[in-house]
Amino acid sequence: MKQVVQSFKTGEMEVKEVPLPQLQSKYVLVENATSLISAGTEKGTVKVAKASLIEKARQRPDLVKQVIQNMKKEGIRATFDKVKSKLDSPKALGYSTAGIVKASLDSNNLFKTGDRVACAGQDLASHAEVVSVPQNLVAKIPDNVTFEEAAFTTVGAIALQGVRQSEPKLGENICVIGLGLIGQITCQLLRASGANVFGVDLSDKLVELASKHSADVANNRNNSNLLVNCLAFTNGHGFDKIIITAATPSNDPIELSAEIARKKGSVIMVGAVGMNIPRDPHFYRKELDLKMSCSYGPGRYDTSYEELGQDYPIAYVRWTEQRNMEAFLNAISKKQVNLKPLITHQFTIDNALAAYEMVINPEAEFNLGVLLEYPERAKKFETPKEQKKIISDPKNPNVSFIGAGSFAQSYLIPNIKSAGGTLQAVTTGRGINAEHVASKFGFVKFESDPTTIFKDENCNTIFIATRHNTHANYAIDALSEGKNVFVEKPLALNTEELEKVSNVYSNSGKLLMVGFNRRFSRAAQEVNKLFNSYDGPLAFNFRVNAGALPPDHWAINDEIGGGRIIGEVCHFIDLMQYFSNSLVKSVYAQSLPGTSEVNTNADNVIITLTFKNGSVGNITYLANGDKALPKEHLEVFGGGNSAIINDFNSVSLYKNGSLKKVKTSGKGHKEEVMAFLKAISDGTDSPISFDSIYSTTLTTFKVIDSMATGLPQHL
């Protein structure tokens, strides 16, 4: 299929042939008929990508801060590789489309093949011939609404949410500052609610458009009589509400809104503008309210709602993202909103670059609602042909990847060739990523459907680097097709999944490896050498300053990531099993009470493990510490010797009353890949036994059980 793609590194744009997006549970696959280029929003997105690296840093200081923090934790080289991978990744453009349902796995059985629907979502409802969109970001189109009109639904929902935040009442005087696409629609929605609407903008053409079709009155911001006209419009009282839909770093919109508001009026922020709120004279003396409007409604930025399809009860949350989309479509159907005057240009997908060139060019003709159309094309649903042929030695691992995000691109894929493997095929959830990764690393081909990789006779090894909730099922499918499998941790999210994998593995005759990389690091190897001549039990004290994750991070979502015990503490359980050469016997865990959404009880836990050979380990895993403290401090004691791993940057070895310090780097990612592929080539067992993998995975579940019950758990 065709899709508009931009390189975030260079800013270059192109219409590329890429694989179809994957249809997953609670998603809807839609063949686009029309999509909207929002001139205001997308112009900013495109310009950031075209900016120099320094300019990008200036515009996103939050990301610069993340880079600096990552350098402290993982070092300059690892951070550089991560940043390079992020910059190299292609970006999907667009977030508002309309089309026809081709297939649906929505949990409500609401969408049927052939339904006309509007779709929303950045990186989801993209400028592409086919999109895969979560069920809560899809809405059916009324029969009398065209695809061209329905393509405005996402923008319309943003405007509608701002209107809802203003709580307009019949007869109120409301000003809209910023008469771009969202501003024009906002004016129309306000008039439909019975408000008297006054519009303000810097553009004479937008003011003229609003005067004809959207607002009762509209003025240019630079009109010398603006304040007089505002007072006349409101009979000398000032506006009841002001909705700011402008997009500018200037503080002028917020200052103007305070000046023209009546006493005890309200200011609602929809657009991104300067927010240096002037206390005096207006906000303070008029006792003005300031409200924020978040995108297209409740559910935005909530993983459970947007990705997992969990709706909010209508009795408690009347207007969600999806219900706002439906309400806006209904407003179009009832002729309460007239979008046709807002459509200034229409292009086919093949001419999308010309459309964007016009949008970002300040000297171009006036444009507002720019639509992309998707003509019928026979090859739309075909996967692009193989990019190039690579003849591989059948004795060597021929590797395919399911999932190829920044982690896989930084730590796994680059090490395949150096370990003697061949890169066969790659598939990702979004087609543009699969095509990009294949081109970047030299895969023979890229696919849109993981089942084609399982059936590929030229592939004997599959790496699974998707989100955690897919690992077990993909591993089962790959093993069932006779493939060697490397699963980036964890192997499973619950006991039922683990048992299914175990049963399939035991009958497969193939190698199964999980990405417990730390045991392969040079630091771990140095410690293991110190204790390998000692057969007695060891004592471990591992302190992990993990740091807090954002509350909406997918890794701590129970359904997607399984939480941090399953997703990260597994590393330290595996490392203890490696050093002790023994499996876990029992576990007892206690946690600090969750103090916030950010610091949950699973983030701050102390775990005591006993092993079958008598070893005892203590893991203190914390998210409530200071970021300046190194992340991992691991101590090992036994046989009169001691060792300390200092964040895998160095090792302190104590033996016979003397200290030996060894500088190290890396956490074993390269070494684990090489060990696994060597085992395949040599026909030997997996570098980590399945008994150990099973024990580590089961132990994480027992940690959670112990936290819940307050009792020790036995394996």
Side-chain angles (χ1 to χ4, degrees):
M1 70 168 191
K2 293 179 180 178
Q3 181 164 4
V4 181
V5 179
Q6 183 177 35
S7 166
F8 191 72
K9 181 179 180 181
T10 65
E12 292 183 7
M13 301 173 61
E14 57 184 318
V15 179
K16 300 190 76 170
E17 286 282 354
V18 301
L20 296 172
Q22 292 176 16
L23 176 61
Q24 54 187 307
S25 176
K26 300 180 181 178
Y27 275 61
V28 183
L29 194 70
V30 178
E31 181 181 6
N32 274 338
T34 309
S35 61
L36 171 70
I37 298 178
S38 174
T41 304
E42 293 198 57
K43 182 188 296 184
T45 301
V46 171
K47 281 190 172 181
V48 169
K50 286 181 173 292
S52 66
L53 191 58
I54 294 175
E55 276 300 312
K56 287 185 175 77
R58 285 175 179 168
Q59 295 182 49
R60 293 298 305 273
D62 56 322
L63 296 182
V64 175
K65 186 176 180 181
Q66 288 181 26
V67 169
I68 294 172
Q69 290 173 351
N70 198 82
M71 286 174 59
K72 293 178 180 178
K73 287 185 176 181
E74 300 188 24
I76 296 175
R77 179 57 187 270
T79 302
F80 174 79
D81 290 340
K82 273 189 176 181
V83 172
K84 184 179 178 182
S85 176
K86 286 286 186 183
L87 289 175
D88 281 344
S89 299
K91 181 171 181 57
L93 297 172
Y95 61 90
S96 190
T97 70
I100 299 172
V101 173
K102 301 301 292 184
S104 179
L105 294 177
D106 67 290
S107 60
N108 301 317
N109 201 28
L110 179 64
F111 301 105
K112 308 294 184 184
T113 300
D115 284 348
R116 299 165 70 247
V117 295
C119 305
Q122 181 65 51
D123 297 322
L124 298 165
S126 307
H127 301 309
E129 289 183 304
V130 182
V131 294
S132 182
V133 183
Q135 64 185 44
N136 283 345
L137 298 181
V138 181
K140 289 186 179 181
I141 302 173
D143 291 340
N144 65 336
V145 175
T146 66
F147 283 127
E148 288 78 14
E149 293 171 315
F152 284 78
T153 299
T154 307
V155 173
I158 294 171
L160 180 55
Q161 180 62 17
V163 170
R164 294 198 191 286
Q165 289 293 82
S166 73
E167 299 179 0
K169 295 178 176 61
L170 185 69
E172 283 190 325
N173 299 313
I174 301 179
C175 179
V176 176
I177 300 176
L179 297 175
L181 205 52
I182 293 176
Q184 298 281 343
I185 295 173
T186 298
C187 289
Q188 292 192 34
L189 291 170
L190 288 169
R191 292 179 76 184
S193 72
N196 307 309
V197 183
F198 190 103
V200 178
D201 199 277
L202 289 167
S203 165
D204 285 331
K205 290 185 177 180
L206 290 175
V207 167
E208 181 183 358
L209 183 65
S211 298
K212 288 182 179 179
H213 302 287
S214 302
D216 295 296
V217 176
N219 276 195
N220 192 296
R221 172 66 180 95
N222 296 319
N223 186 329
S224 59
N225 293 317
L226 175 62
L227 296 181
V228 173
N229 293 341
C230 287
L231 283 174
F233 187 85
T234 62
N235 295 321
H237 300 299
F239 289 101
D240 299 290
K241 316 279 174 57
I242 298 94
I243 301 178
I244 299 176
T245 55
T248 173
S250 169
N251 210 52
D252 182 67
I254 195 76
E255 293 175 3
L256 174 63
S257 65
E259 189 172 3
I260 62 178
R262 68 164 170 83
K263 190 168 186 178
K264 289 188 174 293
S266 298
V267 179
I268 295 88
M269 302 292 295
V270 177
V273 300
M275 288 190 64
N276 182 14
I277 312 298
R279 185 174 188 270
D280 259 347
H282 303 296
F283 269 95
Y284 169 64
R285 300 186 189 189
K286 292 181 180 179
E287 293 186 313
L288 300 180
D289 288 333
L290 179 63
K291 299 178 72 174
M292 300 295 296
S293 179
C294 180
S295 195
Y296 29 106
R300 189 70 182 102
Y301 308 111
D302 181 348
T303 301
S304 296
Y305 179 90
E306 292 192 327
E307 294 188 34
L308 300 179
Q310 297 175 9
D311 201 359
Y312 301 144
I314 194 169
Y316 299 96
V317 185
R318 178 62 183 91
W319 297 110
T320 60
E321 287 181 278
Q322 187 179 57
R323 293 195 269 271
N324 273 340
M325 293 169 67
E326 292 168 345
F328 182 71
L329 286 164
N330 191 47
I332 302 173
S333 176
K334 290 184 174 182
K335 311 302 180 185
Q336 295 170 324
V337 174
N338 181 14
L339 298 171
K340 291 181 180 178
L342 308 184
I343 300 173
T344 59
H345 296 82
Q346 292 177 264
F347 296 81
T348 65
I349 180 67
D350 292 313
N351 294 314
L353 300 189
Y356 272 99
E357 186 61 35
M358 178 189 68
V359 166
I360 65 176
N361 184 0
E363 304 300 324
E365 60 182 298
F366 173 73
N367 59 85
L368 188 61
V370 181
L371 297 177
L372 295 183
E373 307 289 341
Y374 300 83
E376 283 298 320
R377 190 168 69 98
K379 296 182 179 181
K380 187 179 295 187
F381 291 94
E382 289 185 7
T383 296
K385 302 302 180 184
E386 295 179 4
Q387 302 302 294
K388 58 183 178 180
K389 295 287 185 181
I390 297 178
I391 301 175
S392 62
D393 185 343
K395 296 179 181 180
N396 290 336
N398 206 357
V399 179
S400 293
F401 269 75
I402 301 177
S406 58
F407 179 85
Q409 292 183 51
S410 298
Y411 297 109
L412 300 178
I413 299 175
N415 297 316
I416 299 297
K417 287 185 177 180
S418 59
T422 299
L423 294 171
Q424 173 65 15
V426 59
T427 181
T428 63
R430 295 170 187 159
I432 59 172
N433 293 334
E435 187 276 338
H436 169 73
V437 172
S439 175
K440 178 180 178 180
F441 292 100
F443 282 84
V444 173
K445 58 184 178 179
F446 46 88
E447 303 283 3
S448 61
D449 185 356
T451 58
T452 59
I453 287 181
F454 299 138
K455 300 289 185 182
D456 187 352
E457 295 181 357
N458 294 320
C459 163
N460 59 24
T461 303
I462 293 178
F463 275 60
I464 299 167
T466 50
R467 288 190 172 182
H468 299 170
N469 59 329
T470 64
H471 287 186
N473 287 335
Y474 280 150
I476 289 169
D477 291 343
L479 289 168
S480 298
E481 292 295 335
K483 312 297 185 186
N484 300 302
V485 177
F486 180 106
V487 184
E488 182 46 44
K489 54 78 190 168
L491 177 60
L493 294 188
N494 54 59
T495 306
E496 182 181 3
E497 287 184 349
L498 180 60
E499 291 303 327
K500 288 181 180 178
V501 174
S502 178
N503 291 335
V504 173
Y505 166 75
S506 63
N507 296 316
S508 70
K510 295 297 177 179
L511 300 190
L512 174 63
M513 173 81 159
V514 176
F516 299 139
N517 52 278
R518 282 164 176 77
R519 66 159 65 196
F520 296 94
S521 66
R522 186 186 172 194
Q525 296 300 308
E526 291 288 343
V527 172
N528 197 49
K529 282 191 291 185
L530 181 66
F531 293 101
N532 62 7
S533 61
Y534 175 63
D535 294 330
L538 299 176
F540 307 101
N541 186 33
F542 287 8
R543 187 270 299 147
V544 185
N545 181 37
L549 289 177
D552 60 348
H553 196 286
W554 68 268
I556 55 178
N557 182 287
D558 288 340
E559 289 191 42
I560 301 176
R564 304 183 81 176
I565 302 298
I566 294 173
E568 187 174 24
V569 171
C570 56
H571 278 303
F572 309 105
I573 297 170
D574 172 75
L575 196 53
M576 288 184 180
Q577 289 193 154
Y578 172 63
F579 288 146
S580 65
N581 195 28
S582 180
L583 303 181
V584 175
K585 179 181 178 182
S586 66
V587 57
Y588 178 62
Q590 288 183 298
S591 61
L592 295 178
T595 56
S596 67
E597 252 191 320
V598 177
N599 284 314
T600 66
N601 59 354
D603 281 354
N604 299 284
V605 59
I606 298 175
I607 305 164
T608 300
L609 305 170
T610 59
F611 295 80
K612 292 181 178 180
N613 72 344
S615 295
V616 177
N618 192 68
I619 301 173
T620 303
Y621 185 88
L622 302 170
N624 61 355
D626 188 88
K627 294 178 181 178
L629 180 70
K631 182 181 178 183
E632 297 172 25
H633 181 86
L634 316 179
E635 298 178 339
V636 185
F637 302 87
N641 299 325
S642 305
I644 299 174
I645 297 178
N646 304 293
D647 215 18
F648 290 86
N649 293 320
S650 67
V651 180
S652 299
L653 304 171
Y654 297 84
K655 183 176 182 179
N656 298 327
S658 62
L659 166 63
K660 176 184 177 183
K661 287 191 174 183
V662 180
K663 285 191 175 183
T664 61
S665 63
K667 293 184 178 179
H669 295 101
K670 178 180 180 179
E671 292 80 3
E672 71 171 346
V673 171
M674 297 187 73
F676 177 60
L677 297 191
K678 187 175 187 302
I680 295 172
S681 298
D682 294 347
T684 58
D685 293 335
S686 176
I688 306 178
S689 72
F690 184 75
D691 285 345
S692 180
I693 292 171
Y694 183 96
S695 175
T696 296
T697 307
L698 183 59
T699 299
T700 61
F701 306 152
K702 295 296 184 180
V703 169
I704 295 171
D705 290 345
S706 182
M707 289 167 59
T709 63
L711 299 172
Q713 301 292 313
H714 300 278
L715 278 74

